[in-house]
Amino acid sequence: MIFLHNPQLSNYTDDKNARGILVDDLKKLIHSNPEMRDKIQFPSVKASRLRVLVNQSLNWQHNLCRTPRPNPEITTILEDHVCAPPPQAAQAPGPVVNNQLTASMFRAGFLHQPSVMPPPEAVFLAASRGQQSLNPPALVQHPNMSGVLARNNQNNADTEIVLRRSRHFGMSEEIRNVPTSSAARTPQSHHMFNFLPTDDVPKKVVSVINQGSEVKTMDFHPQHRTLLAVGTNTGDVSIWEISNRTRIEHKNFCVWNITAYSMAIRATFNDGYPVLVNRLRWSPDGLFLGVAYSKHIVHVYSYRAGHELKRHLEIEAHAGHVSDLAFTIRHQKLIFITCGEDKTVKLWDATTGANFFVFEGHDAPVTSICPHSKDNIQYIFSSATDGKIKAWLHADRVSKIDYETPGYVWTKMAYSTEGSRFFSCGSREDRVPFLVEWAESQGTVKRQYIGLGKQHVGVMQFDTANRFLAAGDESLVKFWDMDNKFILHTTDADGGLPASPCVRFSKDGILLAVTTIDNGVKILANPEGQRLVKSSENHPEVLRLASASAAKASNVNAASTSSAGTIANIGFPDRSVPFPNQDNQNMSDVSGKITDEFEFPILWRPKEITEPSQLRSLRLPDSLLPVKVIRLMYTHSGSGVLALAYNAIHKLWRWQKNEQNPTPNATADIAPQIWQPPSGILMTNDMKDANTDDTIPSFALSKNNSYVLSASGGKISLFNLPSFKTMTSFKAPPPASTCLAFYPPDNNIVAIGMSDCSILMYNVQSNSVVQTLKGHQKPVTGLAFAIERKMLVSAGTDAELCVWNTASWKKVASKFLKLPSKRTNNSQAETRVHFNPDKTHFMAVHETQIAVYDPAKLDSCMQWIPRQASGSIADAVYSCDGQSIFVCVEDGSVSILEANPLKLMCRINCAAYMPSKRSAIRVSPKAIAAHPSDPNQLAIGLSDGGVYVLEPLKADKQWGSDPSAEFCAGPSINPDPNHT
């Protein structure tokens, strides 16, 4: 009666009806929940498949028997089965092993009859004592059969040792890794080690590559299995061919379109802190590479094998750092997902860069994301620094599942290769590391893996592949089988690993990349991976292209080629860029010779200086704050070096006259003194009205060494060099000065390049403009006079070159510097110009090339393009005799070119002059200067504020040698094809 009078219970007439209504309601609830979709329907399975599954299960269970009988008594499958030991066998104490087989099925032939298998203790002890391996006939006769050695009284799957393949028991590699005497172990101690076969574990070092800066993230190409993308703590992105340790692509961090960002965002890029690559990932098809940086933005490059990375998208993804990035497919469209410091997760169109969704709900910065698809339902798992993991549906912006993980922070997540198992790794609040498997539908920890160190520094890196887990911990790579919580294998990769190395499997799990303490990467391989690397190193596409370049170079001199005979390599053995620069063919307006670092005769190779013992170098002492050097020059007497730093302060070093240096002259053998007048003042430029985003500092020295004209975006200052006093200041911005040069006939007149694209001829004494030259379209960044020819050459940020007549101040010619194809001009890039000493040619210095021109016709005579892996050209200058050109490049190297013909004679690696020390900030040269009387001495200014003077060894007398002379004389050293 109560049911009938209660409106909510009136439909429940009896228990049968009530159950039916309840079932209908549950069905509706389940069908409406996408997470439960299709979960109540039993899948259709063929009867034969069921029989196979039962057969496999019975084989498995029977081998769990401690003393399996060849003819077990089987009565039912509803109860566990235990084979009774033979009467003469002694019963050793051990765990109860449950195993039941059905007699009817056994008689029907579904179960093969195994031979008696020895107890696991006997196998273990025999192996530990070095005895002959025991070969259980059951495993030999049935190679497709899997087995389990049970070692847990509670029958816990975490402590099972699963045999994934047929293998003779004996002294395995896993047992060799046991740190204590196995023979003395108690039965309980067996639980600490996993004795699965490790043949499939990548554990042999097959390749070592040197990135040059600390590697933060890596990813193998999904199609080209020996290509590895690397991101560093300096913002660099590189692609390596690991089979022959070749870097085939290199991109330094730069903002592609700085004008698209607010002033606040721009300021963060110039705050002195490096931009790190937090994550890089290939798209599933390998056609795109996504890069997440520590400051706001994401870059997406397009890539085709054998071609360079091309800019595709630049996105301001998050406020603060972008922590993680992943690609996935949504509605047959490629998208990528990001997370960041602003506590959000975002979805982006990988083609257009459009933002689809913003997921909000985390209470802390999001550190990791993991997209997943199951039953056509797409999820995104995200974890934050407070340890919480959330699961989001693509179609809904609300988190559907929240995993409470108290104390678990800095979590990284990953799915198994087949996408059925979910793992996370990180450290707790007390810095104790963890590696766990989750029951994703329940939000609980299913298995916690044992073997990590007691405390962990930083964020632990881990990865999954096939059935393995790998984590970097305690300067080791540790491996687990996913089905066993105990360590399967450990390796130190021949040593040299940091405390928390970064690890990354290849997509098929046969290779593993692990970072090293010396800014490199080691590649580990299993037997299949070793075969892959071996086959690739002899026939990679990069060698095919390099051979094509060698064939071109051989045509330079047919006679020399014929004398070379058996030499198969090009003369220059450095394979940092395997793809020769093909852009030269597209430069139709370049009438002269275009060279790159592969166009050398076969019999000659430039000199490589890689060790401090191969040159003389001196870092100039500095008592002032070390700030990035922007400009650098020698005094005209050669006894001093003058530098302009980013903070607008000038520094002057002077060599004193003494017995060791009676000249006195600048030298790398004797340290100079940093000069300061008795007043103690600093020579500092005005920066009151300077726009730091557009500032192009510059300075010039009068020919009598008495005055310095300098500007750093504010007023132009004229300083007295001996006293550091400011004589006068003029021309406050806007517009700002961008380039300065003294007019050689009259020190009172200076040429000033301006940000408004004009050139002012200015009389400092009368404080008046003598002439205004107009003809540039962009700010002027280069000025050089040739008074003997009545010429002024100027250059702008758009790479336009102009020639002016100094008698009439009229523009007589102009031409744009021809950039290599597939290279766009950087609107912020400076183009500088220098005349050679005899004023017959001038050199244009651009970030992409060195080009030598005839000023009368403004025709390009020669052009030199650095290898792409070296990065952009920072600065260049003629030697005092005009026979050489000194070039400093972004990767820290200094290239010394023969001026005519324009060829590389010598390269000085940064390791030869800079001490090797680990730093979060990469140091690179920013300015270079040539000694006014010594043609082999140069000085370089670095991004860390240091200034070095470099000279060849006294026994060598000069840098490198004459390529043509060495070419005629024949080779003294055969090119080393294995040099990298």
Side-chain angles (χ1 to χ4, degrees):
M1 294 298 294
I2 296 176
F3 282 82
L4 295 178
H5 293 291
N6 191 318
Q8 296 182 352
L9 303 177
S10 59
N11 292 328
Y12 297 92
T13 57
D14 52 44
D15 58 346
K16 185 176 181 180
N17 180 266
R19 284 194 297 269
I21 294 175
L22 181 60
V23 169
D24 291 339
D25 290 343
L26 286 174
K27 285 183 177 180
K28 292 177 182 179
L29 181 62
I30 291 173
H31 284 296
S32 63
N33 187 343
E35 298 173 17
M36 301 296 295
R37 192 172 299 163
D38 299 329
K39 298 293 176 63
I40 60 174
Q41 296 179 358
F42 190 81
S44 58
V45 181
K46 294 182 179 180
S48 58
R49 177 59 181 164
L50 290 175
R51 289 163 58 184
V52 170
L53 291 174
V54 171
N55 184 33
Q56 291 177 345
S57 176
L58 295 177
N59 275 280
W60 184 308
Q61 289 188 29
H62 186 56
N63 279 283
L64 282 174
C65 291
R66 191 168 176 187
T67 55
R69 301 285 300 278
N71 297 297
E73 294 292 332
I74 302 169
T75 58
T76 179
I77 63 173
L78 301 178
E79 296 179 3
D80 292 337
H81 157 74
V82 177
C83 284
Q88 70 276 13
Q91 284 284 6
V96 178
V97 182
N98 298 324
N99 234 337
Q100 286 288 348
L101 301 178
T102 308
S104 58
M105 288 190 174
F106 177 80
R107 295 186 186 98
F110 291 121
L111 176 67
H112 296 290
Q113 298 183 16
S115 300
V116 176
M117 188 174 72
E121 290 88 343
V123 176
F124 182 88
L125 294 176
S128 64
R129 293 167 182 164
Q131 298 176 6
Q132 183 68 26
S133 299
L134 301 174
N135 303 326
L139 297 182
V140 177
Q141 294 174 6
H142 312 295
N144 295 326
M145 182 178 61
S146 298
V148 174
L149 302 180
R151 306 303 307 156
N152 191 317
N153 291 338
Q154 287 75 30
N155 197 24
N156 190 335
D158 289 348
T159 56
E160 294 175 350
I161 304 176
V162 184
L163 299 180
R164 291 296 186 187
R165 61 172 64 183
S166 62
R167 179 186 178 97
H168 300 323
F169 281 94
M171 178 62 82
S172 66
E173 297 180 22
E174 297 79 18
I175 294 178
R176 296 189 193 103
N177 291 330
V178 177
T180 57
S181 174
S182 301
R185 286 220 171 116
T186 63
Q188 288 79 6
S189 66
H190 295 184
H191 297 192
M192 296 300 294
F193 302 95
N194 185 342
F195 300 111
L196 281 171
T198 62
D199 291 350
D200 292 338
V201 173
K203 53 191 174 183
K204 181 178 180 180
V205 177
V206 294
S207 181
V208 180
I209 59 180
N210 181 20
Q211 174 63 29
S213 51
E214 183 180 350
V215 177
K216 304 295 291 185
T217 177
M218 305 172 289
D219 196 25
F220 282 94
H221 195 280
Q223 306 296 332
H224 304 279
R225 297 185 291 172
T226 57
L227 289 187
L228 179 69
V230 171
T232 73
N233 67 335
T234 58
D236 295 348
V237 175
S238 300
I239 299 178
W240 290 84
E241 168 58 52
I242 63 170
S243 62
N244 60 359
R245 303 172 296 282
T246 300
R247 181 159 60 182
I248 63 176
E249 260 298 339
H250 180 78
K251 297 292 183 183
N252 298 113
F253 172 78
C254 68
V255 182
W256 299 348
N257 184 14
I258 190 67
T259 60
Y261 299 96
S262 64
M263 295 300 295
I265 298 290
R266 296 185 199 182
T268 62
F269 294 122
N270 297 315
D271 60 6
Y273 293 96
V275 178
L276 285 65
V277 178
N278 281 336
R279 183 75 73 183
L280 59 72
R281 287 292 179 262
W282 290 104
S283 61
D285 54 10
L287 299 181
F288 294 95
L289 179 66
V291 185
Y293 293 99
S294 61
K295 295 186 180 180
H296 310 290
I297 67 174
V298 166
H299 283 164
V300 178
Y301 293 93
S302 62
Y303 180 76
R304 303 293 185 275
H307 298 78
E308 65 178 7
L309 286 173
K310 294 183 179 179
R311 295 179 178 181
H312 178 61
L313 292 175
E314 181 178 71
I315 295 174
E316 183 181 344
H318 294 271
H321 61 250
V322 186
S323 304
D324 203 355
L325 177 146
F327 285 93
T328 189
I329 304 295
R330 179 177 182 266
H331 301 322
Q332 299 182 342
K333 180 179 290 186
L334 181 66
I335 66 171
F336 65 94
I337 310 163
T338 61
C339 67
E341 189 178 6
D342 57 5
K343 309 175 186 178
T344 63
V345 178
K346 298 182 180 181
L347 267 67
W348 308 86
D349 189 313
T351 303
T352 65
N355 180 226
F356 286 135
F357 299 115
V358 178
F359 298 107
E360 298 176 330
H362 277 288
D363 298 323
V366 187
T367 59
S368 179
I369 50 177
C370 184
H372 183 54
S373 178
K374 187 174 184 180
D375 298 332
N376 296 322
I377 301 172
Q378 291 180 302
Y379 295 88
I380 303 170
F381 287 94
S382 61
S383 66
T385 56
D386 59 4
K388 292 185 179 179
I389 299 177
K390 293 181 179 289
W392 315 80
L393 286 176
H394 282 210
D396 198 338
R397 303 185 189 184
V398 179
S399 174
K400 291 296 184 182
I401 301 176
D402 290 347
Y403 292 5
E404 293 295 335
T405 57
Y408 286 19
V409 297
W410 296 108
T411 300
K412 296 292 183 182
M413 302 174 295
Y415 264 91
S416 57
T417 304
E418 78 285 356
S420 63
R421 304 173 71 171
F422 182 47
F423 304 90
S424 71
C425 181
S427 58
R428 299 186 177 94
E429 293 174 334
D430 55 3
R431 296 171 62 183
V432 174
F434 67 89
L435 175 59
V436 298
E437 180 181 2
W438 291 87
E440 56 179 339
S441 61
Q442 303 173 12
T444 58
V445 173
K446 178 180 178 181
R447 177 180 288 108
Q448 181 163 349
Y449 295 90
I450 297 174
L452 296 173
K454 294 182 179 180
Q455 280 199 333
H456 190 85
V457 179
V459 180
M460 178 173 290
Q461 303 288 337
F462 89 113
D463 200 11
T464 69
N466 299 328
R467 71 178 193 266
F468 298 121
L469 298 169
D473 181 43
E474 297 181 310
S475 300
L476 298 170
V477 181
K478 300 179 179 181
F479 297 91
W480 290 263
D481 186 286
M482 292 179 181
D483 294 325
N484 195 298
K485 67 181 181 182
F486 298 113
I487 286 181
L488 173 65
H489 184 76
T490 64
T491 178
D492 64 355
D494 298 338
L497 302 188
S500 306
C502 177
V503 296
R504 184 65 174 171
F505 276 111
S506 61
K507 300 303 181 286
D508 50 11
I510 64 176
L511 301 172
L512 179 79
V514 55
T515 57
T516 64
I517 200 169
D518 56 353
N519 301 331
V521 177
K522 290 185 177 182
I523 308 300
L524 311 182
N526 65 12
E528 184 180 351
Q530 296 170 34
R531 289 190 292 270
L532 172 67
V533 173
K534 186 67 176 178
S535 63
S536 299
E537 67 184 2
N538 295 323
H539 305 286
E541 181 69 9
V542 293
L543 292 183
R544 184 186 66 81
L545 294 175
S547 298
S549 177
K552 282 187 178 181
S554 65
N555 294 328
V556 174
N557 193 311
S560 300
T561 303
S562 60
S563 64
T566 60
I567 298 179
N569 288 69
I570 58 175
F572 184 68
D574 194 320
R575 294 292 184 267
S576 292
V577 180
F579 303 117
N581 194 320
Q582 305 297 329
D583 302 335
N584 306 334
Q585 301 173 3
N586 300 323
M587 299 180 180
S588 57
D589 67 331
V590 180
S591 58
K593 173 65 178 172
I594 304 173
T595 63
D596 64 16
E597 298 188 9
F598 291 88
E599 296 186 13
F600 300 117
I602 288 180
L603 298 179
W604 180 82
R605 56 187 282 179
K607 183 176 181 179
E608 287 281 335
I609 296 179
T610 58
E611 300 292 336
S613 60
Q614 295 178 276
L615 83 167
R616 292 181 289 161
S617 66
L618 172 68
R619 179 169 179 136
L620 305 188
D622 192 355
S623 58
L624 301 178
L625 181 68
V627 180
K628 178 170 63 176
V629 175
I630 302 297
R631 296 288 185 267
L632 190 71
M633 67 169 60
Y634 280 85
T635 59
H636 296 307
S637 63
S639 61
V641 172
L642 181 64
L644 173 60
Y646 185 77
N647 61 355
I649 295 177
H650 299 76
K651 299 178 183 180
L652 175 63
W653 290 269
R654 285 181 171 176
W655 276 259
Q656 303 300 315
K657 184 177 181 179
N658 52 41
E659 293 181 359
Q660 291 81 16
N661 191 19
T663 321
N665 208 2
T667 175
D669 299 326
I670 302 173
Q673 294 179 353
I674 187 166
W675 170 255
Q676 279 190 297
S679 62
I681 63 173
L682 296 176
M683 195 159 53
T684 308
N685 282 334
D686 170 72
M687 296 186 68
K688 182 179 179 181
D689 299 317
N691 183 350
T692 56
D693 291 333
D694 300 326
T695 295
I696 302 178
S698 60
F699 70 168
L701 180 65
S702 64
K703 59 184 178 182
N704 60 3
N705 287 327
S706 297
Y707 299 99
V708 175
L709 192 70
S710 185
S712 296
K715 290 182 179 180
I716 302 171
S717 300
L718 182 67
F719 298 97
N720 180 279
L721 187 58
S723 65
F724 282 15
K725 289 183 179 180
T726 304
M727 307 303 295
T728 185
S729 298
F730 55 96
K731 293 300 296 178
S737 66
T738 53
C739 188
L740 298 170
F742 278 96
Y743 182 54
D746 188 351
N747 270 343
N748 291 318
I749 298 176
V750 295
I752 308 172
M754 306 296 291
S755 61
D756 65 353
C757 313
S758 65
I759 301 173
L760 302 183
M761 300 303 299
Y762 196 88
N763 190 313
V764 179
Q765 189 175 23
S766 63
N767 195 26
S768 61
V769 176
V770 176
Q771 192 74 37
T772 301
L773 312 182
K774 294 185 177 181
H776 278 282
Q777 306 301 316
K778 295 292 181 181
V780 180
T781 57
L783 293 169
F785 283 97
I787 294 302
E788 299 85 348
R789 307 187 65 170
K790 297 181 180 180
M791 286 182 179
L792 168 65
V793 176
S794 61
T797 57
D798 58 352
E800 183 184 21
L801 306 174
C802 295
V803 178
W804 310 82
N805 185 295
T806 58
S808 62
W809 298 114
K810 300 293 184 181
K811 186 170 71 172
V812 295
S814 66
K815 179 174 287 188
F816 284 90
L817 190 67
K818 183 66 176 180
L819 302 181
S821 62
K822 303 178 183 178
R823 299 286 294 271
T824 58
N825 186 41
N826 180 3
S827 61
Q828 305 295 319
E830 300 177 37
T831 305
R832 304 174 195 172
V833 287
H834 304 278
F835 271 97
N836 64 352
D838 60 7
K839 311 300 182 184
T840 57
H841 294 86
F842 74 90
M843 168 180 63
V845 181
H846 189 265
E847 65 178 11
T848 64
Q849 62 189 284
I850 301 293
V852 177
Y853 284 82
D854 180 354
K857 303 177 182 179
L858 207 57
D859 288 336
S860 177
C861 304
M862 293 170 288
Q863 190 175 40
W864 181 80
I865 301 172
R867 55 183 185 178
Q868 292 182 359
S870 298
S872 303
I873 294 173
D875 199 6
V877 67
Y878 275 108
S879 63
C880 63
D881 61 359
Q883 300 300 308
S884 304
I885 296 175
F886 303 139
V887 185
C888 60
V889 191
E890 203 169 17
D891 67 347
S893 65
V894 177
S895 295
I896 300 173
L897 311 179
E898 183 186 20
N900 189 16
L902 199 58
K903 292 182 180 178
L904 181 67
M905 293 192 300
C906 176
R907 180 187 289 111
I908 305 172
N909 191 281
C910 62
Y913 64 87
M914 278 194 295
S916 59
K917 59 180 181 179
R918 298 192 65 191
S919 174
I921 301 177
R922 186 187 65 177
V923 178
S924 60
K926 295 298 180 182
I928 194 166
H931 193 278
S933 59
D934 185 348
N936 291 295
Q937 185 183 133
L938 59 102
I940 52 174
L942 305 180
S943 58
D944 68 348
V947 175
Y948 280 83
V949 171
L950 306 181
E951 293 183 271
L953 296 175
K954 292 182 178 180
D956 295 337
K957 298 183 180 180
Q958 64 180 8
W959 302 108
S961 57
D962 183 358
S964 59
E966 189 164 335
F967 175 75
C968 296
S972 58
I973 301 176
N974 288 329
D976 180 6
N978 298 318
H979 179 84
T980 57

